[in-house]
Amino acid sequence: MHTDTERCVRAVQSKDSRFDGWFFTAVLTTRIYCRPSCPVVPPKVENMTFYPSAAACQQAGFRACKRCRPDTSPGSPNGVSPARTELRAWGWNARADAVARAMRLISDGVVDREGVPGLAARLGYSTRQIERQLLAELGAGPLALARSQRAQTARLLIETTPLPMADVAFAAGFSSVRTFNDTVREVFALSPSELRSRGGKQPHTPGAIALRLPFRAPLNPTNLFGHLAATAVPGVEEWRDGAYRRTLTLPYGHGIATLTPHPDHIGCLLSLTDLRDLTIAISRCRRLLDLDADPVAIDDQLRTDPLLAPLVDKAPGRRVPRTTDAAEFAVRAVLGQQVSTAAARTHAARLVSAHGTPVDDPAGGLTHLFPDPAGLAALDPESLALPRSRRTTLMTLVSSLADGSLTLGVDSDWERARAQLMALPGFGPWTVEVIAMRALGDPDAFLPTDLGIRRAARELGLPSTPAAFTARASVWRPWRAYAVQYLWATDDHPINNLPV
């Protein structure tokens, strides 16, 4: 249970939505749990108890309130997995310890695919150690957190698609329809058919799943989608009809994601070859767009620097454009070394055309999946239209990724990954930090040697030499990656503008 009872009570009595996702109120008399901003009359203090996660509430036998739907994240009419809510609320994205990495892996569906032993093995701990640490911080173990995520994925499919219930059950990760029915009734106090009837008729795109990805406001889409569109690899990514589209390589198959910015959500249309990939596809789209960031906390910290404050006030809510595949981004970072954005796209497009897996895209112009490290490791280096030193760098990288000596992903230890990358030939501070920022998700990654950042620093009166600049930027920690986005925005570059 949550220990700071007095603060929790004040938040519930004030119905302050800023605390939604930070803790959950369980009502002892009704056995229902709510978010702090629930619109109903608050219960008596002696009837309230507090938990750090929706999964902990469910594990203790409480059902989700039908008014405030605490099992979904703030502002989401269609819902998102509790693991994502807890990821954001507890700051896992700003941490690299074992619990934070475990939460990111659970959100990525690892427990459903590999079980708790697989989760523990990826983290280098025993199952008992992982369970103990998660229980201490979230009040629920990995199985309970994964079950909570499966239940929310099921609710999402029930309410937003016409899929038969049996298909919903297996797409959400349940091993049987009976377990699916029992879990939905236990968590939501409604049968699957009742959930569908309450949700009303939803618009449906044949062969695709449409949903809304919520975020904490503010969100500035300009640099986010502008960067993704300007650096898009032809065949793998495109900007079409006001939306960013890309192919996805997923555990059970592949997919195509179409992401459209709106004032209060990101429209997400997913075409998947296997519905079992739904949860991980949502997780990767959210990660790509950095939707689990807390922009209020980040911008408040950056505003404490009087030189940076005007940039933040001008366009608050900038996100760090990330990636759906860390290995892919690492390859693209090498291809982009010391060349223009256009040249980097050309190099990547050649690689995709020659070695990527073809896909069909009736709705657009996407043609391939980005080639995986194993496939790239097998190619002839002489076939690459790159300088010899760049070929060596690229081939060493993909060989290390293919043989497992280097792992990049949501479970990476950021500092260990940095050290491993720096040991590879051709990797310098810029390449390592841009991979840490966009592929590993380190919110404190910093690029003091980047020419655009140094130019912006000089114009603001900040030191421009790397050592002095790094020392001066310490006041932005742990959000230096976001400061980089504000500094980049001072330059008139295509990555800072939404395409027309």
Side-chain angles (χ1 to χ4, degrees):
M1 289 186 293
H2 210 289
T3 56
D4 199 346
T5 301
E6 185 177 345
R7 289 183 63 192
C8 292
V9 168
R10 288 201 302 268
V12 170
Q13 292 175 338
S14 66
K15 301 184 184 297
D16 194 334
S17 61
R18 292 176 299 177
F19 290 92
D20 288 354
W22 288 89
F23 69 89
F24 298 83
T25 307
V27 185
L28 298 173
T29 51
T30 61
R31 305 301 295 176
I32 287 173
Y33 73 96
C34 302
R35 65 177 69 194
S37 65
C38 184
V40 303
V41 177
K44 294 179 179 179
V45 174
E46 59 267 26
N47 292 331
M48 286 190 267
T49 189
F50 305 99
Y51 289 88
S53 68
C57 294
Q58 294 166 16
Q59 188 169 261
F62 294 92
R63 300 190 309 273
C65 173
K66 296 175 184 176
R67 287 286 301 277
C68 68
R69 295 180 61 167
D71 50 303
T72 65
S73 73
S76 168
N78 288 341
V80 70
S81 74
R84 302 308 302 180
T85 302
E86 288 146 15
L87 250 172
R88 181 197 62 247
W90 284 76
W92 305 129
N93 287 328
R95 292 167 49 178
D97 55 60
V99 175
R101 290 158 58 206
M103 285 300 297
R104 291 194 285 268
L105 285 170
I106 292 170
S107 176
D108 218 36
V110 165
V111 172
D112 289 335
R113 297 192 303 274
E114 303 173 20
V116 178
L119 172 69
R122 284 184 177 233
L123 296 170
Y125 288 85
S126 69
T127 57
R128 182 175 297 179
Q129 287 173 312
I130 290 300
E131 288 170 350
R132 184 171 62 246
Q133 291 184 54
L134 286 171
L135 281 168
E137 290 211 37
L138 280 168
L143 287 175
L145 289 164
R147 176 180 180 268
S148 185
Q149 177 164 278
R150 284 195 296 274
Q152 191 53 46
T153 301
R155 182 175 195 162
L156 177 67
L157 290 170
I158 290 168
E159 294 183 339
T160 64
T161 76
L163 287 172
M165 292 301 179
D167 291 346
V168 170
F170 293 113
F174 290 95
S175 58
S176 70
V177 174
R178 180 176 180 177
T179 303
F180 158 73
N181 287 328
D182 291 345
T183 300
V184 169
R185 287 194 183 95
E186 183 179 338
V187 173
F188 305 117
L190 293 168
S191 69
S193 57
E194 289 170 330
L195 267 181
R196 178 160 283 175
S197 63
R198 284 169 61 94
K201 187 175 179 59
Q202 298 287 342
H204 177 58
T205 302
I209 297 172
L211 57 145
R212 297 183 174 193
L213 302 182
F215 53 78
R216 281 193 184 272
L219 180 142
N220 188 323
T222 304
N223 80 302
L224 184 59
F225 285 91
H227 194 119
L228 293 172
T231 60
V233 176
V236 174
E237 303 165 286
E238 68 175 0
W239 180 265
R240 180 182 291 266
D241 299 329
Y244 167 80
R245 306 180 70 246
R246 73 152 293 147
T247 59
L248 302 170
T249 300
L250 300 164
Y252 297 105
H254 67 265
I256 293 175
T258 302
L259 302 167
T260 308
H262 296 281
D264 61 346
H265 69 277
I266 302 296
C268 178
L269 187 68
L270 291 171
S271 300
L272 304 173
T273 58
D274 193 316
L275 280 176
R276 290 177 295 176
D277 285 321
L278 176 64
T279 298
I280 193 169
I282 295 172
S283 175
R284 292 187 180 180
C285 288
R286 293 190 63 83
R287 184 171 176 82
L288 169 71
L289 302 180
D290 195 19
L291 297 185
D292 293 307
D294 186 344
V296 174
I298 293 166
D299 288 353
D300 283 350
Q301 174 66 26
L302 298 182
R303 282 191 184 98
T304 62
D305 186 332
L307 294 181
L308 206 59
L311 300 181
V312 177
D313 292 336
K314 181 181 178 181
R318 291 190 182 275
R319 300 298 206 271
V320 177
R322 295 211 164 109
T323 182
T324 59
D325 188 307
E328 172 192 316
F329 184 82
V331 170
R332 292 171 60 174
V334 170
L335 296 176
Q337 287 177 335
Q338 300 177 340
V339 298
S340 67
T341 299
R345 294 180 67 214
T346 299
H347 287 315
R350 289 173 181 160
L351 207 62
V352 165
S353 178
H355 306 287
T357 302
V359 297
D360 294 324
D361 177 24
L366 303 180
T367 59
H368 289 81
L369 302 175
F370 197 88
D372 63 17
L376 293 176
L379 62 82
D380 179 4
E382 297 300 321
S383 67
L384 299 172
L386 296 170
R388 185 171 299 278
S389 62
R390 195 73 44 78
R391 289 183 213 162
T392 300
T393 299
L394 180 62
M395 295 308 297
T396 304
L397 170 67
V398 296
S399 296
S400 299
L401 290 167
D403 66 22
S405 59
L406 171 66
T407 57
L408 300 175
V410 295
D411 55 333
S412 293
D413 180 296
W414 296 334
E415 294 310 315
R416 182 169 182 268
R418 277 182 170 92
Q420 289 179 305
L421 289 168
M422 281 296 291
L424 299 179
F427 275 77
W430 185 91
T431 306
V432 170
E433 285 302 302
V434 80
I435 291 173
M437 179 187 297
R438 295 194 55 197
L440 303 184
D442 184 352
D444 203 37
F446 191 49
L447 304 171
T449 61
D450 182 87
L451 293 178
I453 299 302
R454 294 176 67 183
R455 183 165 55 247
R458 283 194 301 269
E459 292 175 358
L460 290 175
L462 293 163
S464 58
T465 60
F469 191 17
T470 300
R472 176 62 174 77
S474 62
V475 297
W476 305 335
R477 307 192 77 165
W479 311 117
R480 292 184 301 178
Y482 295 88
V484 166
Q485 306 310 309
Y486 284 105
L487 292 170
W488 263 332
T490 62
D491 190 13
D492 185 20
H493 189 281
I495 66 172
N496 296 316
N497 300 288
L498 278 176
V500 294

